[in-house]
């Protein structure tokens, strides 16, 4: 049995993602929030204090942090939510067996120790004693079994997560031991155990969520705010929060958020543009760093004419990503060629970013070969609350005109985008950002033919074979090679227009400290505190 200390990345080096510093410390504003799945490592962050005020950083107990959020929560139940912003808020309410660390490592949380059988099929987790849910009930192995049975479908209902589909059996030999037996080797399984553990038989998570995290849910008022308060009985002494309360204010207007921070009505903006940061002036902090996001224009591979690979390739040749990065991201982004950021250095396939050079004549030739010499009409559906994506759509629409494609931008509410585009694939093209996870299968697995949330409707037998082999491959080098080959297929088949990994900047009140960058979009308010000034 291996004891968990601070981290155990050394024991599972196949899950360690080498960090990489990406030059440029700007921000993409609202780009950082996005639709569901993805993962990776944030390399480093850069903290800048705007102004010369030398403030004490002595930690003060208590206080409230008011955070400007661009979107409404889509569902407070951690198993039903698909929106990254929602997960960022509710991650403070729930804990998993492990947590994602700052450098892509797994950090112990509810699990005290673990071991893996020699054949890689059986995982044994020992749960910490003395953990209580927010309703006062004790967290035991039965709660882990209940949570994983829901996720895997072993409760007789529809599985809630494909990441747990490999589970064959769950046993609880005693009150604090959980034994998970897999059907096949799954190199991605350990990283999946950051998922929330919920109380057994409690079915009201969407209305009044109950977890075991450092903050408790208080209330949610649609269109206004979501409120959390400190969990005084939190089990981890080292992670106990100093803050009393966190209020997430629903503020889709980015300019209004900047003004609210200036006036003292809020204390933090999770994603702020370079222009917004300049507008703030003195007395504020800006924390910047890469975010391992993939901003893309998804193409519905099932609808005409996007079901023709030549049309998709033509669209890729019609778009100049460098122009988008310079104009929309203010130069603070890394060009991509597939659904993988170079921040995931171990798994990243280099060179794909140059697969489609901007070439209007080549695009026209491909369109002609596909039977669309005169072009066609295309609707780009964009979530209206993300100015970054709306601005990107406008640049792309103008570029597509040059090859005869008449693009109409359709702005929709975030909830409508999630329902129509993400859940039901009722769209032609859309622009969104997909945030990172800590395992490459979660990054590329969304393109699998049978993946329930494959809103790209991409289907390729060769790709499916590669990512499924990658999921089973324990050898680190062989696994990386499989995922690199899979990225090449995505690029060659032009499954989407992969644009950039934009840098991210967070604006904070001058005396608010402790914000950390993570490989996934995560706001760890347990680590944050106010100083005396």
């Amino acid at each position: 049995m291996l004891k968990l200390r601070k981290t155990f990345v050394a024991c599972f080096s196949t899950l360690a993602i080498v960090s990489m510093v990406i030059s440029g410390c700007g921000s993409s504003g609202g780009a950082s929030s996005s639709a569901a799945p993805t993962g990776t490592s944030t390399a480093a962050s850069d903290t800048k204090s705007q102004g010369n005020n030398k403030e004490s950083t002595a930690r003060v107990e208590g206080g409230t942090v008011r955070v400007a959020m661009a979107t409404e929560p889509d569902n407070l139940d951690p198993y039903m939510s698909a929106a990254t912003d929602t997960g960022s808020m509710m991650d403070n309410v729930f804990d998993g067996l492990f947590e994602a660390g700052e450098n892509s490592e797994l950090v112990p949380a509810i699990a005290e120790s673990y071991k893996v059988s020699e054949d890689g099929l059986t995982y044994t987790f020992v749960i910490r004693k003395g953990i209580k849910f927010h309703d006062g009930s004790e967290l035991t192995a039965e709660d882990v079994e209940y949570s994983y049975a829901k996720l895997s479908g072993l409760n007789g209902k529809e599985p809630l997560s494909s990441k747990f589909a490999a589970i064959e059996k769950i046993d609880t030999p005693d009150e604090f031991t959980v034994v998970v037996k897999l059907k096949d080797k799954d190199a991605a399984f350990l990283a999946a155990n950051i998922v929330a553990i919920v109380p057994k038989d409690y079915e009201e998570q969407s209305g009044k969520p109950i977890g075991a995290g450092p903050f408790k849910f208080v209330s949610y008022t649609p269109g206004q705010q979501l409120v959390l308060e400190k969990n005084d009985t939190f089990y981890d002494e080292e992670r106990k929060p100093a803050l009393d309360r966190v209020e997430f204010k629903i503020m889709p207007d980015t300019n209004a958020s900047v003004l609210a921070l200036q006036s003292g009505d809020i204390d933090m903006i999770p994603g702020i543009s370079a222009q917004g940061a300049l507008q703030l002036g003195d007395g504020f902090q800006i924390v910047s760093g890469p975010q391992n996001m993939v901003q893309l224009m998804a193409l519905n591979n099932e609808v005409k004419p996007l079901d023709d690979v030549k049309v998709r390739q033509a669209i890729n040749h019609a778009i100049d990503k460098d122009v988008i990065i310079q104009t929309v991201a203010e130069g603070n982004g890394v060009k991509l060629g597939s659904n993988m950021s170079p921040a995931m250095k171990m798994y990243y396939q280099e060179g794909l970013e140059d697969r489609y050079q901007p070439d209007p004549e080549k695009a026209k030739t491909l369109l002609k070969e596909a039977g669309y010499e005169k072009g066609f009409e295309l609707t780009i559906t964009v979530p209206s609350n993300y100015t970054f994506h709306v601005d990107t759509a406008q640049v792309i629409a103008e570029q597509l005109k040059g090859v005869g494609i008449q693009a109409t931008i359709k702005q929709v509410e975030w909830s409508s985008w999630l329902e129509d585009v993400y859940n039901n694939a009722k769209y032609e093209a859309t622009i969104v950002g997909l945030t990172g996870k800590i395992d490459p299968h979660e990054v590329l697995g969304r393109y699998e033919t049978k993946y329930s949330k494959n809103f790209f409707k991409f289907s390729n037998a060769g790709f499916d074979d590669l990512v499924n082999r990658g999921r089973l491959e324990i050898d680190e080098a062989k696994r990386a090679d499989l995922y690199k080959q899979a990225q090449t297929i995505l690029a060659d088949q032009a499954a989407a227009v992969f644009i950039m990994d934009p840098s991210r900047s967070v604006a904070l009140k001058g005396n608010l400290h402790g914000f950390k960058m993570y490989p996934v979009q995560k706001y760890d308010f347990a680590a944050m505190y106010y100083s005396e000034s």
Side-chain angles (χ1 to χ4, degrees), residues 380-430:
I380 305 175
T381 304
V382 190
S384 59
N385 53 295
Y386 289 119
T387 304
F388 187 82
H389 300 320
V390 174
D391 291 347
T392 299
Q394 291 171 344
V395 175
I396 286 177
E398 192 63 31
Q399 291 178 342
L400 291 177
K401 273 185 192 178
V403 299
I405 300 174
Q406 303 302 316
T408 299
I409 299 173
K410 178 184 177 183
Q411 296 190 44
V412 298
E413 297 282 339
W414 179 239
S415 57
S416 297
W417 187 93
L418 286 168
E419 179 64 21
D420 295 339
V421 179
Y422 184 68
N423 289 331
N424 295 305
K426 294 180 179 178
Y427 78 105
E428 293 178 353
T430 188

Side-chain angles (χ1 to χ4, degrees), residues 310-506:
K310 289 186 177 181
V311 171
R312 300 195 301 270
Q313 290 172 340
I315 290 173
N316 271 269
H317 277 300
I319 292 173
D320 191 331
K321 301 173 189 177
D322 290 319
V323 169
I324 298 172
I325 292 170
Q326 291 303 317
T327 58
V328 180
E330 297 161 317
N332 298 307
V334 176
K335 184 167 61 175
L336 302 179
S338 190
N339 202 115
M340 186 76 76
S341 164
M344 295 190 74
K345 187 175 181 181
M346 184 185 304
Y347 300 101
Y348 176 69
Q349 178 58 60
E350 297 180 356
L352 297 178
E353 65 276 9
D354 297 319
R355 170 70 174 78
Y356 296 99
Q357 293 292 340
D359 190 340
E361 293 307 314
K362 176 68 172 177
K364 290 176 183 178
T365 299
L366 286 166
L367 289 174
K368 183 178 180 180
E369 292 175 359
Y372 296 94
E373 184 175 4
K374 295 182 180 180
F376 58 90
E377 294 183 354
L378 179 69
T379 299
I380 305 175
T381 304
V382 190
S384 59
N385 53 295
Y386 289 119
T387 304
F388 187 82
H389 300 320
V390 174
D391 291 347
T392 299
Q394 291 171 344
V395 175
I396 286 177
E398 192 63 31
Q399 291 178 342
L400 291 177
K401 273 185 192 178
V403 299
I405 300 174
Q406 303 302 316
T408 299
I409 299 173
K410 178 184 177 183
Q411 296 190 44
V412 298
E413 297 282 339
W414 179 239
S415 57
S416 297
W417 187 93
L418 286 168
E419 179 64 21
D420 295 339
V421 179
Y422 184 68
N423 289 331
N424 295 305
K426 294 180 179 178
Y427 78 105
E428 293 178 353
T430 188
I431 297 174
V432 74
L434 299 173
T435 52
K437 304 288 184 192
I438 56 175
D439 187 86
H441 192 86
E442 293 186 64
V443 179
L444 297 179
R446 63 170 58 91
Y447 292 88
E448 285 185 81
T449 301
K450 294 183 179 180
Y451 179 56
S452 61
K453 299 297 185 181
N454 176 3
F455 67 98
F456 306 90
K457 295 302 176 182
F458 177 75
S459 180
N460 182 281
F463 177 88
D464 291 348
D465 177 63
L466 287 165
V467 294
N468 280 298
R469 285 162 57 197
R471 185 162 195 160
L472 302 178
E473 182 56 67
I474 302 299
D475 183 278
E476 187 176 90
K478 291 179 180 178
R479 190 174 191 230
D481 183 62
L482 291 168
Y483 286 118
K484 287 179 180 180
Q485 291 180 55
Q487 291 168 60
T488 301
I489 290 178
L490 285 184
D492 290 345
Q493 292 296 309
V497 179
F498 304 101
I499 304 171
M500 71 173 112
D501 178 3
S503 296
R504 176 182 183 81
S505 290
V506 176

